Amino acid sequence: MSNELRPVQADTITDWDETADVVIAGYGIAGVCAAIEAARAGANVLILERTSGWGGAASLAGGWVYLGGGTPLQQALGFEDTPENMEKFLLAAVGPGADKAKIADYSRGSVEHYNWLVGNGVPFKEAFWGEPGWEPPHDEGLGYSGGENAAPFNEIATPAPRGHVPQMSNKRTGSKGGGYMLMKPLAETAESLGVRVEYDIRLARLIVDGERVVGVLAKRYGKEIAVRAERGVVLATGSFAYAEQMISDYAPQLIGRPGAAIEEHDGIGIKLAAALGAATSHLNATEVAFFGDPQLMARGIMVNGRGQRYVPEDTYPGRIGQMTLFHQENQAYLVIDERAHEEALATETSTPFFRTPPTWAAETVAELEADMGLPEQALQSTVEVYNKYAAEGTDPLFGKKAQWLRPLTGAVAAFDMRNFTAGFTLGGLRTDLDARVLHVSGEPIPGLYAAGRCTSGICTGGYVSGASLGDGSFYGRRAGLAAAKN
């Protein structure tokens, strides 16, 4: 019984322990936004959270929220953007199989969503961080978070920074970052609206009446609890990054390397909906974090296991991660000269723990190549071609920007960055623009809604930092509203 995922028939429930109009599973970014909108639409709302506090993966995140199209913050800092421009970039960045309707919807609703977040107490500081980095090291509110200003995207769409970071003091990456400051005011808003929360409750099964979802069966410390949802159930349970069998089945590139997720991300929401016949989408798609410092990478060259370059080093580091894991067998080295290394170390970073000493150092590229165990001339020819064009300020192979181009000269070093990747899953339940969960037939499953990383959002292949908090909050709102109006 405990391993059963199949739905329970409502007529078998003799006692309902809790009842609400809208029942939300998960108190992360998608759940809190669903709760606010459902409550404002007049619904009685209950959130079930399996841990003992709000936040989910969101409150540990660096805090980029991917928004654009001309937000007040973009405008205040002098950046022009349009929904069409944002759409054009995202379609190119997320790759084949892009959900065109969702990307168009998200891009066009982005400015309103920014204003909604601000209206609910989320602060954004009017300051721009323009250096390479996983996130701003301070409380700057805007930065590039998806490689918009790097090749090939800077030729496809007009570059505009769309990483919006909620402001907080004493920011600590991975413990209390911008994501925490996004969640805190929203959680306070939800609770001020009378949203009820029950903690330490694990979602176990969905309860159905015919084809309609009418509640959930959950467990608290092993005791079964039946919760009735008069209008709808919203799944906001996160990704399947820690579901070993699902990773093995759908995203084997992440076997043994979950990251940027929390252990509660075990795929339960996806499994329960799939047991009802829900459609899933892009389960193979993953974000890939790369354990490198962007200030160092931009100034050097990234080479694969054969000593060849494979990526513009000044792009979004998550793209470097994907290119390394998916296309280079996870083999990567960073090669840099002494001057560039010193320049990079003099800059500020939000990830100082990625600044480790180089693995090899040598007086010449030929010596370095030998120390690294590469075939003779493999690295030397790469550096020779790079230097030839860098001296002219161009990079015809990968389009790295002129500001980062300079021939590698004098003493050189290399960092062994093989297997320096981790990631989380991006695929999940197929939902429509109202966050209704779709059956494999294409029809919505009555009474069931979902948002956040348990769904397939705007990133169906390539990733941009801020997409998870962005589409999780955006479609969390839609889910709450649709469930309340049901």
Side-chain angles (χ1 to χ4, degrees):
M1 176 80 174
S2 62
N3 292 328
E4 276 273 16
L5 294 170
R6 291 189 185 87
V8 179
Q9 295 299 323
D11 57 15
T12 65
I13 306 288
T14 49
D15 258 338
W16 295 94
D17 299 282
E18 293 275 1
T19 302
D21 294 329
V22 176
V23 174
I24 299 167
Y27 199 177
I29 190 61
V32 73
C33 292
I36 291 170
E37 291 291 50
R40 287 207 176 120
N44 173 291
V45 184
L46 174 63
I47 299 176
L48 306 177
E49 166 56 38
R50 69 188 273 180
T51 68
S52 51
W54 56 257
S59 62
L60 299 176
W64 289 121
V65 187
Y66 201 83
L67 298 166
T71 65
L73 188 62
Q74 285 179 316
Q75 291 182 3
L77 292 167
F79 293 100
E80 282 183 34
D81 195 15
T82 63
E84 296 71 26
N85 190 45
M86 178 176 177
E87 212 174 316
K88 199 186 290 183
F89 165 74
L90 282 171
L91 286 173
V94 306
D99 187 331
K100 291 179 181 166
K102 216 168 242 187
I103 284 175
D105 178 48
Y106 185 76
S107 299
R108 290 163 198 175
S110 200
V111 171
E112 185 276 332
H113 187 52
Y114 171 87
N115 291 331
W116 183 88
L117 291 171
V118 171
N120 283 298
V122 180
F124 294 94
K125 182 179 177 181
E126 273 187 28
F128 172 65
W129 178 257
E131 297 279 322
W134 277 104
E135 60 193 64
H138 313 295
D139 59 353
E140 294 86 359
L142 188 68
Y144 282 102
S145 67
E148 301 83 357
N149 58 340
F153 308 117
N154 53 8
E155 298 292 324
I156 294 170
T158 308
R162 301 191 185 97
H164 291 62
V165 187
Q167 183 181 10
M168 74 173 299
S169 53
N170 305 319
K171 188 169 103 160
R172 292 191 299 286
T173 298
S175 58
K176 229 180 201 186
Y180 176 86
M181 205 49 228
L182 175 67
M183 280 298 304
K184 187 172 185 287
L186 295 176
E188 287 166 356
T189 299
E191 289 171 34
S192 74
L193 290 167
V195 169
R196 289 183 297 138
V197 189
E198 290 289 338
Y199 294 105
D200 303 304
I201 289 197
R202 269 172 191 266
L203 185 60
R205 300 168 74 176
L206 295 173
I207 301 172
V208 294
D209 186 353
E211 294 195 340
R212 181 178 178 80
V213 175
V214 295
V216 303
L217 210 56
K219 287 192 171 171
R220 177 184 266 157
Y221 308 127
K223 178 183 180 286
E224 219 162 52
I225 295 170
V227 184
R228 185 170 177 84
E230 301 286 1
R231 303 188 198 174
V233 168
V234 177
L235 298 173
T237 49
S239 77
F240 62 95
Y242 278 86
E244 283 182 29
Q245 190 61 55
M246 289 180 77
I247 289 289
S248 183
D249 289 345
Y250 304 116
Q253 68 272 21
L254 286 191
I255 290 175
R257 49 171 60 89
I262 52 175
E263 289 182 20
E264 289 77 21
H265 280 204
D266 60 3
I268 184 65
I270 300 169
K271 291 176 196 170
L272 294 181
L276 276 183
T280 54
S281 181
H282 296 283
L283 293 179
N284 65 325
T286 66
E287 176 267 0
V288 181
F290 190 76
F291 305 144
D293 184 68
Q295 292 276 13
L296 283 160
M297 294 191 286
R299 290 173 169 81
I301 58 171
M302 295 294 299
V303 300
N304 61 19
R306 295 176 291 281
Q308 303 155 322
R309 284 179 73 216
Y310 60 93
V311 68
E313 295 85 357
D314 59 345
T315 191
Y316 163 54
R319 186 166 168 79
I320 295 177
Q322 285 192 327
M323 297 295 281
T324 305
L325 179 59
F326 302 163
H327 305 291
Q328 307 301 334
E329 296 86 41
N330 221 5
Q331 304 295 292
Y333 302 98
L334 168 63
V335 177
I336 196 166
D337 66 19
E338 199 171 5
R339 178 180 156 195
H341 186 228
E342 284 171 5
E343 279 177 14
L345 293 183
T347 63
E348 284 189 277
T349 178
S350 63
T351 50
F353 36 85
F354 290 157
R355 292 189 171 176
T356 54
T359 316
W360 302 278
E363 292 303 311
T364 66
V365 175
E367 282 173 50
L368 185 66
E369 177 182 74
D371 291 347
M372 292 167 73
L374 291 170
E376 195 177 344
Q377 291 300 326
L379 183 63
Q380 291 181 71
S381 57
T382 294
V383 173
E384 192 182 333
V385 172
Y386 178 78
N387 283 355
K388 169 183 160 57
Y389 290 106
E392 300 163 9
T394 64
D395 175 22
L397 285 177
F398 297 100
K400 184 173 170 175
K401 293 190 295 297
Q403 74 181 101
W404 304 112
L405 289 171
R406 200 183 65 222
L408 301 177
T409 56
V412 282
F415 295 80
D416 185 349
M417 305 182 90
R418 291 174 292 184
N419 301 308
F420 269 35
T421 54
F424 58 83
T425 56
L426 298 173
L429 298 169
R430 184 183 282 283
T431 53
D432 67 10
L433 301 184
D434 285 317
R436 298 181 296 181
V437 175
L438 301 177
H439 187 267
V440 287
S441 65
E443 293 295 308
I445 295 173
L448 190 61
Y449 306 82
R453 278 284 65 86
C454 66
T455 68
S456 178
I458 56 172
C459 287
T460 50
Y463 190 65
V464 296
S465 273
S468 292
L469 295 179
D471 76 28
S473 55
F474 188 90
Y475 288 105
R477 290 176 60 195
R478 293 279 176 88
L481 208 51
K485 288 181 170 175
N486 188 5

